[in-house]
Amino acid sequence: MSRQRVYNFAAGPSMLPLPALERAGAEISNYQGSGMSVMEMSHRSKLFLGIFERTQEKLRRLLNVPENYRILFLQTGASGQFSMIPLNLISRTGKADYAVTGNFSNLAFQEAKKYGQIHLAADMAENDYSRIPRQEELDLDPDASYFYYCSNNTIYGTEWDYVPQTGSVPLVCDMSSDILSMPVDVSQYGILYAGAQKNMAPAGLTVVVIREDLAGHELPFTPLMMNYKTMIDKDSMYNTPPCWCIYMLGLVLDWIDENGGLQGMLDLRQKRAGLLYDTLDHSRLFRCHAQKNSRSAMNVTFRTGDETLDAKFVAQAAAAGLVNLKGHRKTGGMRASIYNAMPLEGVEKLCDFIQSFDRAN
Ligand SMILES: *Cc1c(COP(=O)(O)O)cnc(C)c1O
């Protein structure tokens, strides 16, 4: 290889743990003496079913998933869930509550409106999505079929630091950009889900954890492939699942296990975010987008206030091996995505770079 690996701060697809990549590399053309790659195997073969089941079990153990919940390995991205959730869940009362705290919860809200009466339990647009609503600000309808929110707003860099309390209304949560970064109490949710490409595996896999009794109430026109019940009954194998991504997820889960499990991920997450926010707060030039008590530990959004200077920062950082720091086009400025696989050393290097840029400009 001509170039060393860089510290990649991309929001997704994003860095994967190096040991997982290296193991995949070692097994790429001949998986455990089978004479073939995982990419070449039948999804119904004994060998692949072993990979599938072990990956499901590892995830169940790591997330401490209760027995009355199913783990599904689906496709169509996290965005596919924007339709799948109302299609399967809204029939109970025809109504649902949505908290819109960023781009993806807004897209989910817009999509859900096709299927029922959708009520905004909170809308953070007027603050330019710079903060998370407090529990007492949530306008809850006790008659909602479910309450929907996104635990970490990947684009704006805000994150819920509590689990909303909604009484008997099931919680549905998009955890695409903070799943596996800390322990969660799955029993508090009806459904939690994540596109894999931020913190789990390569793009192409969507992980859904669903309380089993919530399936089987889909609207009559629900497409077969968008029906949780179909996927539960066939254990995610109604059709060909994203085999390679599931295998890669297994390797990433092994790496998490070897690094202290979800408690270990939480410790690392706090160290990375603490260091970066502290450096930004002590700088002259940089301001964070998120309000202090709503800051995300996964996506850190900041800017100088001068677009030319922001562009210079992004370019010089890339030249120093700190790549993909340009903010999303909706926010401008910079965004450092610091998921599980970002080594602490990468954040330390970024902090050094921020300090020297701060002095030089
Ligand atoms: C990236 C992202 C999505 C969209 O994921 P796709 O898999 O591309 O559909 C949805 N929600 C959140 C929170 C995300 O970060």
Side-chain angles (χ1 to χ4, degrees):
M1 230 197 294
S2 60
R3 193 177 180 188
Q4 287 205 315
R5 274 177 68 78
V6 291
Y7 292 108
N8 177 7
F9 293 90
S14 39
M15 283 186 90
L16 287 163
L18 187 58
L21 292 174
E22 285 178 338
R23 183 147 157 227
E27 296 179 336
I28 193 114
S29 60
N30 190 351
Y31 175 75
Q32 297 188 355
S34 65
M36 61 177 91
S37 171
V38 174
M39 284 185 266
E40 301 170 306
M41 276 174 204
S42 162
H43 58 295
R44 314 251 179 229
S45 66
K46 222 170 155 183
L47 209 51
F48 182 74
L49 288 178
I51 294 171
F52 185 96
E53 280 158 21
R54 279 196 303 280
T55 304
Q56 236 179 19
E57 276 161 25
K58 276 185 265 191
L59 190 57
R60 186 172 283 276
R61 186 171 38 73
L62 264 174
L63 275 175
N64 203 7
V65 177
E67 269 185 24
N68 58 327
Y69 285 70
R70 298 292 292 259
I71 297 174
L72 303 176
F73 292 146
L74 308 181
Q75 301 185 57
T76 70
S79 305
Q81 295 304 305
F82 300 169
S83 326
M84 206 160 166
I85 287 158
L87 279 166
N88 285 269
L89 261 51
I90 206 154
S91 74
R92 196 165 64 87
T93 64
K95 302 198 288 178
D97 275 353
Y98 275 65
V100 173
T101 57
N103 176 65
F104 293 112
S105 47
N106 187 44
L107 293 175
F109 167 67
Q110 301 301 340
E111 176 67 9
K113 285 197 276 189
K114 292 179 188 167
Y115 304 110
Q117 205 180 317
I118 309 300
H119 168 243
L120 269 175
D123 181 7
M124 293 294 115
E126 78 269 23
N127 308 292
D128 199 15
Y129 300 117
S130 64
R131 73 176 184 90
I132 298 297
R134 295 181 304 275
Q135 171 75 41
E136 57 282 12
E137 289 179 282
L138 300 176
D139 181 19
L140 299 173
D141 175 4
D143 204 27
S145 300
Y146 61 94
F147 173 94
Y148 181 100
Y149 79 112
C150 174
S151 55
N152 183 71
N153 298 291
T154 320
I155 291 178
Y156 295 93
T158 59
E159 187 172 17
W160 294 63
D161 69 352
Y162 69 98
V163 178
Q165 298 303 304
T166 55
S168 60
V169 174
L171 271 187
V172 175
C173 184
D174 177 354
M175 291 191 186
S176 293
S177 48
D178 66 355
I179 194 164
L180 301 180
S181 72
M182 59 185 149
V184 291
D185 178 2
V186 174
S187 72
Q188 295 200 55
Y189 299 87
I191 292 179
L192 62 88
Y193 74 92
Q197 70 272 24
K198 312 284 165 52
N199 211 19
M200 297 184 120
L205 167 67
T206 307
V207 174
V208 175
V209 180
I210 177 172
R211 211 178 71 206
E212 211 162 353
D213 63 284
L214 292 174
H217 311 286
E218 70 281 354
L219 295 172
F221 49 80
T222 301
L224 182 71
M225 291 295 297
M226 292 247 125
N227 186 343
Y228 289 125
K229 192 75 173 59
T230 313
M231 291 305 177
I232 287 174
D233 289 348
K234 298 285 182 187
D235 202 9
S236 307
M237 291 245 195
Y238 177 82
N239 69 331
T240 318
C243 302
W244 173 256
C245 298
I246 293 167
Y247 160 75
M248 284 301 302
L249 173 60
L251 300 187
V252 170
L253 297 179
D254 286 342
W255 176 83
I256 292 176
D257 252 343
E258 287 154 16
N259 286 276
L262 295 188
Q263 190 56 49
M265 295 300 110
L266 174 60
D267 294 344
L268 276 172
R269 175 189 135 107
Q270 286 169 336
K271 282 199 187 110
R272 277 190 298 256
L275 203 60
L276 185 47
Y277 282 115
D278 195 51
T279 303
L280 290 167
D281 287 343
H282 284 93
S283 73
R284 265 182 325 112
L285 282 178
F286 300 98
R287 295 288 170 271
C288 293
H289 176 76
Q291 295 183 26
K292 261 198 174 140
N293 54 4
S294 298
R295 286 172 167 181
S296 164
M298 311 308 286
N299 310 95
V300 178
T301 45
F302 57 102
R303 60 168 63 87
T304 63
D306 172 347
E307 281 181 31
T308 317
L309 204 54
D310 286 349
K312 184 175 166 191
F313 178 92
V314 171
Q316 290 188 354
L322 307 165
V323 308
N324 287 322
L325 282 161
K326 191 173 189 302
H328 190 273
R329 62 187 181 280
K330 279 191 192 287
T331 55
M334 279 75 73
R335 171 175 55 176
S337 297
I338 47 175
Y339 302 120
N340 283 352
M342 173 58 68
L344 193 57
E345 194 193 26
V347 175
E348 287 165 355
K349 292 229 158 96
L350 175 59
C351 290
D352 290 346
F353 181 80
I354 288 170
Q355 285 168 343
S356 61
F357 190 90
D358 196 49
R359 279 191 299 270
N361 290 275

